[in-house]
Amino acid sequence: MVNSQDFKNSIPLSSISTPERGTKMSKLTSSSSELDLDRPNIEDYLPSDSIPQPHAKLRLRDLLDISPTLTEAAGAIVDDSFTRCFKSNPPEPWNWNIYLFPLWCLGVVVRYGILFPGRVLVLTLGWIIFLSCYIPVHLLLKGHDKLRKRLERALVELICSFFVASWTGVVKYHGPRPCARPKQVFVANHTSMIDFIVLEQMTAFAVIMQKHPGWVGLLQSTILDSLGCIWFNRSEAKDREIVARKLREHVEGADNNPLLIFPEGTCVNNQFTVMFKKGAFELGSTVCPIAIKYNKIFVDAFWNSKKQLMTSWAVVCDVWYLEPQNMKPGETPIEFAERVRDIISVRAGLKKVPWDGYLKYSRPSPKHRERKQQSFAESVLHRLEEK
């Protein structure tokens, strides 16, 4: 019996012929000529004297047997763990049958007709109370810094509680409540901007955060600035040095609010954790991990999700204040960051992936792309030289 694989490998490409081969090849040639304009030329990445003359018979397996390249490409297609970190998975539809659809319609009426107006009323009332108290405290107690900071801290916790109430938030806090101490920094996994609100209603943290435009930027420059928050811009290289200096100054102050950092640097969909930036782990301070896990039964809290918090049934999450960690002798800041990430991932049930979250904001380097192209060209050349 003839093995089909041996038979396929023994047939030269030049000997394959069908009645329609001429027509199809002419169409293929005309269509592929347009694509060749943008296709990288393998010969550009090889010395001119290293290109061998084509063989008289080129077998099919000579072209297909480029195992490392094909394996890497197939792995990227099948298991794209980077893109999955930033995707919001839509829930499975459950209401498309004769007896559940009326209940779903009733739920829409309740959420949009009853819960949503009530939540808007609660949030509006919260802002009225907050602003009527915050503005006089901020303006009239200029000479009493300790009293002013204490009252502003309590008012920020109050408005965050109103926000959580407007979502019908059900938040379970596990572990001792954080307190202000010098040489201490808190780090947490990051899913959405509401992470800050969920943590802030329990303790008024000073947070390091990306500068935002619009109404968020207005809150940053007024209310949150009174907490000692630190702002940065990813596009400004000088901001990194300034932020690093401000971080060290903040953790040294005994009267400053506890410092909260999201070391992932971007929002992840609460199923994975990406690499932690080492900045929070090279301050020589005690690091207090915080794990946040959202229940997606009622709403997906991921920042890229199109779900509206005000029209969902509830926001349900667990927050764990974990045991403080210190850098071990001989441990580097990167190793320290990975150890803390392990602790948070295990507690929240998140999967670790070896990706830098900032890759979401940038394209691959041209040098990296050229190295991949050259590696591919060399693998093709090596295979042809063997024949």
PDB file of all heavy atoms in Angstrom, residues 105-131:
ATOM      1  N   CYS A 105     -38.577  41.242  29.191  1.00  0.00           N
ATOM      2  CA  CYS A 105     -39.201  42.539  28.905  1.00  0.00           C
ATOM      3  C   CYS A 105     -39.601  43.242  30.200  1.00  0.00           C
ATOM      4  O   CYS A 105     -39.428  44.466  30.344  1.00  0.00           O
ATOM      5  CB  CYS A 105     -40.421  42.352  28.010  1.00  0.00           C
ATOM      6  SG  CYS A 105     -40.032  41.789  26.348  1.00  0.00           S
ATOM      7  N   LEU A 106     -40.115  42.481  31.155  1.00  0.00           N
ATOM      8  CA  LEU A 106     -40.464  43.060  32.450  1.00  0.00           C
ATOM      9  C   LEU A 106     -39.217  43.597  33.152  1.00  0.00           C
ATOM     10  O   LEU A 106     -39.244  44.668  33.779  1.00  0.00           O
ATOM     11  CB  LEU A 106     -41.160  42.017  33.314  1.00  0.00           C
ATOM     12  CG  LEU A 106     -41.557  42.453  34.734  1.00  0.00           C
ATOM     13  CD1 LEU A 106     -42.549  43.609  34.674  1.00  0.00           C
ATOM     14  CD2 LEU A 106     -42.132  41.278  35.511  1.00  0.00           C
ATOM     15  N   GLY A 107     -38.113  42.876  33.038  1.00  0.00           N
ATOM     16  CA  GLY A 107     -36.869  43.335  33.639  1.00  0.00           C
ATOM     17  C   GLY A 107     -36.372  44.630  33.013  1.00  0.00           C
ATOM     18  O   GLY A 107     -35.861  45.514  33.712  1.00  0.00           O
ATOM     19  N   VAL A 108     -36.512  44.775  31.691  1.00  0.00           N
ATOM     20  CA  VAL A 108     -36.117  46.017  31.020  1.00  0.00           C
ATOM     21  C   VAL A 108     -36.943  47.191  31.540  1.00  0.00           C
ATOM     22  O   VAL A 108     -36.428  48.281  31.803  1.00  0.00           O
ATOM     23  CB  VAL A 108     -36.268  45.876  29.489  1.00  0.00           C
ATOM     24  CG1 VAL A 108     -36.056  47.216  28.804  1.00  0.00           C
ATOM     25  CG2 VAL A 108     -35.275  44.857  28.946  1.00  0.00           C
ATOM     26  N   VAL A 109     -38.263  46.965  31.705  1.00  0.00           N
ATOM     27  CA  VAL A 109     -39.137  48.025  32.224  1.00  0.00           C
ATOM     28  C   VAL A 109     -38.724  48.425  33.637  1.00  0.00           C
ATOM     29  O   VAL A 109     -38.667  49.617  33.976  1.00  0.00           O
ATOM     30  CB  VAL A 109     -40.607  47.560  32.185  1.00  0.00           C
ATOM     31  CG1 VAL A 109     -41.509  48.582  32.887  1.00  0.00           C
ATOM     32  CG2 VAL A 109     -41.069  47.341  30.755  1.00  0.00           C
ATOM     33  N   VAL A 110     -38.410  47.441  34.472  1.00  0.00           N
ATOM     34  CA  VAL A 110     -38.018  47.736  35.850  1.00  0.00           C
ATOM     35  C   VAL A 110     -36.689  48.481  35.887  1.00  0.00           C
ATOM     36  O   VAL A 110     -36.536  49.483  36.608  1.00  0.00           O
ATOM     37  CB  VAL A 110     -37.931  46.431  36.673  1.00  0.00           C
ATOM     38  CG1 VAL A 110     -37.322  46.704  38.049  1.00  0.00           C
ATOM     39  CG2 VAL A 110     -39.305  45.803  36.809  1.00  0.00           C
ATOM     40  N   ARG A 111     -35.710  48.029  35.097  1.00  0.00           N
ATOM     41  CA  ARG A 111     -34.383  48.639  35.142  1.00  0.00           C
ATOM     42  C   ARG A 111     -34.383  50.067  34.605  1.00  0.00           C
ATOM     43  O   ARG A 111     -33.766  50.959  35.194  1.00  0.00           O
ATOM     44  CB  ARG A 111     -33.376  47.784  34.358  1.00  0.00           C
ATOM     45  CG  ARG A 111     -32.994  46.501  35.074  1.00  0.00           C
ATOM     46  CD  ARG A 111     -31.871  45.745  34.387  1.00  0.00           C
ATOM     47  NE  ARG A 111     -32.266  45.180  33.109  1.00  0.00           N
ATOM     48  CZ  ARG A 111     -31.766  45.563  31.941  1.00  0.00           C
ATOM     49  NH1 ARG A 111     -30.864  46.530  31.889  1.00  0.00           N
ATOM     50  NH2 ARG A 111     -32.159  44.988  30.818  1.00  0.00           N
ATOM     51  N   TYR A 112     -35.066  50.279  33.467  1.00  0.00           N
ATOM     52  CA  TYR A 112     -35.044  51.593  32.846  1.00  0.00           C
ATOM     53  C   TYR A 112     -36.149  52.516  33.370  1.00  0.00           C
ATOM     54  O   TYR A 112     -35.989  53.742  33.344  1.00  0.00           O
ATOM     55  CB  TYR A 112     -35.176  51.461  31.328  1.00  0.00           C
ATOM     56  CG  TYR A 112     -33.917  50.981  30.654  1.00  0.00           C
ATOM     57  CD1 TYR A 112     -33.634  49.621  30.548  1.00  0.00           C
ATOM     58  CD2 TYR A 112     -32.989  51.871  30.136  1.00  0.00           C
ATOM     59  CE1 TYR A 112     -32.482  49.162  29.936  1.00  0.00           C
ATOM     60  CE2 TYR A 112     -31.827  51.430  29.522  1.00  0.00           C
ATOM     61  CZ  TYR A 112     -31.587  50.069  29.428  1.00  0.00           C
ATOM     62  OH  TYR A 112     -30.438  49.638  28.827  1.00  0.00           O
ATOM     63  N   GLY A 113     -37.258  51.956  33.818  1.00  0.00           N
ATOM     64  CA  GLY A 113     -38.374  52.781  34.251  1.00  0.00           C
ATOM     65  C   GLY A 113     -38.406  53.074  35.735  1.00  0.00           C
ATOM     66  O   GLY A 113     -38.972  54.087  36.159  1.00  0.00           O
ATOM     67  N   ILE A 114     -37.800  52.199  36.548  1.00  0.00           N
ATOM     68  CA  ILE A 114     -37.841  52.377  38.000  1.00  0.00           C
ATOM     69  C   ILE A 114     -36.447  52.581  38.579  1.00  0.00           C
ATOM     70  O   ILE A 114     -36.189  53.586  39.260  1.00  0.00           O
ATOM     71  CB  ILE A 114     -38.524  51.162  38.673  1.00  0.00           C
ATOM     72  CG1 ILE A 114     -39.966  51.013  38.148  1.00  0.00           C
ATOM     73  CG2 ILE A 114     -38.505  51.310  40.187  1.00  0.00           C
ATOM     74  CD1 ILE A 114     -40.687  49.798  38.692  1.00  0.00           C
ATOM     75  N   LEU A 115     -35.538  51.640  38.314  1.00  0.00           N
ATOM     76  CA  LEU A 115     -34.207  51.725  38.913  1.00  0.00           C
ATOM     77  C   LEU A 115     -33.414  52.916  38.390  1.00  0.00           C
ATOM     78  O   LEU A 115     -32.784  53.648  39.175  1.00  0.00           O
ATOM     79  CB  LEU A 115     -33.438  50.430  38.655  1.00  0.00           C
ATOM     80  CG  LEU A 115     -33.938  49.173  39.365  1.00  0.00           C
ATOM     81  CD1 LEU A 115     -33.046  47.983  39.016  1.00  0.00           C
ATOM     82  CD2 LEU A 115     -33.971  49.375  40.873  1.00  0.00           C
ATOM     83  N   PHE A 116     -33.419  53.124  37.084  1.00  0.00           N
ATOM     84  CA  PHE A 116     -32.605  54.203  36.515  1.00  0.00           C
ATOM     85  C   PHE A 116     -33.014  55.588  37.034  1.00  0.00           C
ATOM     86  O   PHE A 116     -32.149  56.360  37.478  1.00  0.00           O
ATOM     87  CB  PHE A 116     -32.661  54.159  34.990  1.00  0.00           C
ATOM     88  CG  PHE A 116     -31.865  55.237  34.329  1.00  0.00           C
ATOM     89  CD1 PHE A 116     -30.486  55.254  34.406  1.00  0.00           C
ATOM     90  CD2 PHE A 116     -32.503  56.262  33.635  1.00  0.00           C
ATOM     91  CE1 PHE A 116     -29.742  56.263  33.806  1.00  0.00           C
ATOM     92  CE2 PHE A 116     -31.772  57.271  33.032  1.00  0.00           C
ATOM     93  CZ  PHE A 116     -30.390  57.276  33.116  1.00  0.00           C
ATOM     94  N   PRO A 117     -34.296  55.965  37.014  1.00  0.00           N
ATOM     95  CA  PRO A 117     -34.664  57.275  37.592  1.00  0.00           C
ATOM     96  C   PRO A 117     -34.309  57.389  39.069  1.00  0.00           C
ATOM     97  O   PRO A 117     -33.853  58.450  39.529  1.00  0.00           O
ATOM     98  CB  PRO A 117     -36.177  57.355  37.366  1.00  0.00           C
ATOM     99  CG  PRO A 117     -36.446  56.424  36.248  1.00  0.00           C
ATOM    100  CD  PRO A 117     -35.466  55.304  36.410  1.00  0.00           C
ATOM    101  N   GLY A 118     -34.518  56.301  39.828  1.00  0.00           N
ATOM    102  CA  GLY A 118     -34.163  56.346  41.246  1.00  0.00           C
ATOM    103  C   GLY A 118     -32.682  56.531  41.457  1.00  0.00           C
ATOM    104  O   GLY A 118     -32.252  57.269  42.363  1.00  0.00           O
ATOM    105  N   ARG A 119     -31.859  55.900  40.622  1.00  0.00           N
ATOM    106  CA  ARG A 119     -30.407  56.033  40.753  1.00  0.00           C
ATOM    107  C   ARG A 119     -29.942  57.431  40.381  1.00  0.00           C
ATOM    108  O   ARG A 119     -29.024  57.979  41.011  1.00  0.00           O
ATOM    109  CB  ARG A 119     -29.719  54.979  39.890  1.00  0.00           C
ATOM    110  CG  ARG A 119     -29.907  53.567  40.420  1.00  0.00           C
ATOM    111  CD  ARG A 119     -29.482  52.524  39.408  1.00  0.00           C
ATOM    112  NE  ARG A 119     -29.560  51.181  39.971  1.00  0.00           N
ATOM    113  CZ  ARG A 119     -29.336  50.077  39.278  1.00  0.00           C
ATOM    114  NH1 ARG A 119     -29.029  50.161  37.975  1.00  0.00           N
ATOM    115  NH2 ARG A 119     -29.415  48.891  39.855  1.00  0.00           N
ATOM    116  N   VAL A 120     -30.536  57.996  39.349  1.00  0.00           N
ATOM    117  CA  VAL A 120     -30.198  59.374  38.981  1.00  0.00           C
ATOM    118  C   VAL A 120     -30.533  60.319  40.140  1.00  0.00           C
ATOM    119  O   VAL A 120     -29.767  61.247  40.450  1.00  0.00           O
ATOM    120  CB  VAL A 120     -30.938  59.781  37.700  1.00  0.00           C
ATOM    121  CG1 VAL A 120     -30.747  61.267  37.421  1.00  0.00           C
ATOM    122  CG2 VAL A 120     -30.444  58.963  36.511  1.00  0.00           C
ATOM    123  N   LEU A 121     -31.664  60.086  40.778  1.00  0.00           N
ATOM    124  CA  LEU A 121     -32.058  60.920  41.922  1.00  0.00           C
ATOM    125  C   LEU A 121     -31.063  60.780  43.076  1.00  0.00           C
ATOM    126  O   LEU A 121     -30.668  61.782  43.696  1.00  0.00           O
ATOM    127  CB  LEU A 121     -33.464  60.525  42.374  1.00  0.00           C
ATOM    128  CG  LEU A 121     -34.047  61.313  43.555  1.00  0.00           C
ATOM    129  CD1 LEU A 121     -34.172  62.786  43.187  1.00  0.00           C
ATOM    130  CD2 LEU A 121     -35.395  60.730  43.968  1.00  0.00           C
ATOM    131  N   VAL A 122     -30.643  59.549  43.365  1.00  0.00           N
ATOM    132  CA  VAL A 122     -29.671  59.321  44.440  1.00  0.00           C
ATOM    133  C   VAL A 122     -28.350  60.020  44.132  1.00  0.00           C
ATOM    134  O   VAL A 122     -27.754  60.687  45.002  1.00  0.00           O
ATOM    135  CB  VAL A 122     -29.453  57.805  44.652  1.00  0.00           C
ATOM    136  CG1 VAL A 122     -28.252  57.550  45.558  1.00  0.00           C
ATOM    137  CG2 VAL A 122     -30.698  57.168  45.238  1.00  0.00           C
ATOM    138  N   LEU A 123     -27.869  59.886  42.896  1.00  0.00           N
ATOM    139  CA  LEU A 123     -26.595  60.502  42.528  1.00  0.00           C
ATOM    140  C   LEU A 123     -26.692  62.027  42.541  1.00  0.00           C
ATOM    141  O   LEU A 123     -25.756  62.718  42.976  1.00  0.00           O
ATOM    142  CB  LEU A 123     -26.164  60.004  41.147  1.00  0.00           C
ATOM    143  CG  LEU A 123     -24.729  60.315  40.719  1.00  0.00           C
ATOM    144  CD1 LEU A 123     -23.728  59.767  41.720  1.00  0.00           C
ATOM    145  CD2 LEU A 123     -24.446  59.767  39.327  1.00  0.00           C
ATOM    146  N   THR A 124     -27.810  62.556  42.071  1.00  0.00           N
ATOM    147  CA  THR A 124     -27.997  64.015  42.100  1.00  0.00           C
ATOM    148  C   THR A 124     -28.015  64.534  43.532  1.00  0.00           C
ATOM    149  O   THR A 124     -27.386  65.557  43.849  1.00  0.00           O
ATOM    150  CB  THR A 124     -29.303  64.392  41.381  1.00  0.00           C
ATOM    151  OG1 THR A 124     -29.274  63.890  40.038  1.00  0.00           O
ATOM    152  CG2 THR A 124     -29.480  65.899  41.354  1.00  0.00           C
ATOM    153  N   LEU A 125     -28.720  63.852  44.399  1.00  0.00           N
ATOM    154  CA  LEU A 125     -28.757  64.230  45.802  1.00  0.00           C
ATOM    155  C   LEU A 125     -27.364  64.170  46.430  1.00  0.00           C
ATOM    156  O   LEU A 125     -26.974  65.045  47.213  1.00  0.00           O
ATOM    157  CB  LEU A 125     -29.724  63.315  46.558  1.00  0.00           C
ATOM    158  CG  LEU A 125     -29.875  63.557  48.069  1.00  0.00           C
ATOM    159  CD1 LEU A 125     -30.443  64.947  48.321  1.00  0.00           C
ATOM    160  CD2 LEU A 125     -30.748  62.483  48.696  1.00  0.00           C
ATOM    161  N   GLY A 126     -26.598  63.147  46.061  1.00  0.00           N
ATOM    162  CA  GLY A 126     -25.240  63.017  46.576  1.00  0.00           C
ATOM    163  C   GLY A 126     -24.354  64.176  46.163  1.00  0.00           C
ATOM    164  O   GLY A 126     -23.587  64.707  46.982  1.00  0.00           O
ATOM    165  N   TRP A 127     -24.443  64.595  44.890  1.00  0.00           N
ATOM    166  CA  TRP A 127     -23.636  65.719  44.420  1.00  0.00           C
ATOM    167  C   TRP A 127     -24.037  67.021  45.105  1.00  0.00           C
ATOM    168  O   TRP A 127     -23.184  67.863  45.405  1.00  0.00           O
ATOM    169  CB  TRP A 127     -23.755  65.862  42.907  1.00  0.00           C
ATOM    170  CG  TRP A 127     -22.802  64.992  42.148  1.00  0.00           C
ATOM    171  CD1 TRP A 127     -23.093  63.914  41.377  1.00  0.00           C
ATOM    172  CD2 TRP A 127     -21.380  65.139  42.106  1.00  0.00           C
ATOM    173  NE1 TRP A 127     -21.949  63.371  40.850  1.00  0.00           N
ATOM    174  CE2 TRP A 127     -20.881  64.104  41.273  1.00  0.00           C
ATOM    175  CE3 TRP A 127     -20.479  66.030  42.674  1.00  0.00           C
ATOM    176  CZ2 TRP A 127     -19.532  63.948  41.011  1.00  0.00           C
ATOM    177  CZ3 TRP A 127     -19.125  65.880  42.413  1.00  0.00           C
ATOM    178  CH2 TRP A 127     -18.663  64.850  41.587  1.00  0.00           C
ATOM    179  N   ILE A 128     -25.338  67.216  45.329  1.00  0.00           N
ATOM    180  CA  ILE A 128     -25.789  68.432  46.013  1.00  0.00           C
ATOM    181  C   ILE A 128     -25.223  68.497  47.427  1.00  0.00           C
ATOM    182  O   ILE A 128     -24.697  69.535  47.867  1.00  0.00           O
ATOM    183  CB  ILE A 128     -27.330  68.490  46.031  1.00  0.00           C
ATOM    184  CG1 ILE A 128     -27.864  68.673  44.602  1.00  0.00           C
ATOM    185  CG2 ILE A 128     -27.820  69.628  46.931  1.00  0.00           C
ATOM    186  CD1 ILE A 128     -29.379  68.590  44.506  1.00  0.00           C
ATOM    187  N   ILE A 129     -25.303  67.396  48.147  1.00  0.00           N
ATOM    188  CA  ILE A 129     -24.768  67.362  49.508  1.00  0.00           C
ATOM    189  C   ILE A 129     -23.254  67.554  49.502  1.00  0.00           C
ATOM    190  O   ILE A 129     -22.695  68.317  50.314  1.00  0.00           O
ATOM    191  CB  ILE A 129     -25.150  66.036  50.198  1.00  0.00           C
ATOM    192  CG1 ILE A 129     -26.674  65.933  50.347  1.00  0.00           C
ATOM    193  CG2 ILE A 129     -24.463  65.907  51.549  1.00  0.00           C
ATOM    194  CD1 ILE A 129     -27.155  64.600  50.888  1.00  0.00           C
ATOM    195  N   PHE A 130     -22.594  66.879  48.577  1.00  0.00           N
ATOM    196  CA  PHE A 130     -21.132  66.948  48.524  1.00  0.00           C
ATOM    197  C   PHE A 130     -20.645  68.355  48.212  1.00  0.00           C
ATOM    198  O   PHE A 130     -19.790  68.907  48.924  1.00  0.00           O
ATOM    199  CB  PHE A 130     -20.605  65.967  47.486  1.00  0.00           C
ATOM    200  CG  PHE A 130     -19.137  66.072  47.224  1.00  0.00           C
ATOM    201  CD1 PHE A 130     -18.218  65.560  48.119  1.00  0.00           C
ATOM    202  CD2 PHE A 130     -18.668  66.714  46.086  1.00  0.00           C
ATOM    203  CE1 PHE A 130     -16.853  65.671  47.890  1.00  0.00           C
ATOM    204  CE2 PHE A 130     -17.313  66.832  45.847  1.00  0.00           C
ATOM    205  CZ  PHE A 130     -16.407  66.312  46.748  1.00  0.00           C
ATOM    206  N   LEU A 131     -21.171  68.963  47.158  1.00  0.00           N
ATOM    207  CA  LEU A 131     -20.697  70.287  46.751  1.00  0.00           C
ATOM    208  C   LEU A 131     -21.056  71.360  47.776  1.00  0.00           C
ATOM    209  O   LEU A 131     -20.269  72.296  48.008  1.00  0.00           O
ATOM    210  CB  LEU A 131     -21.284  70.652  45.381  1.00  0.00           C
ATOM    211  CG  LEU A 131     -20.788  69.799  44.204  1.00  0.00           C
ATOM    212  CD1 LEU A 131     -21.508  70.193  42.922  1.00  0.00           C
ATOM    213  CD2 LEU A 131     -19.275  69.933  44.035  1.00  0.00           C
TER     214      LEU A 131
END
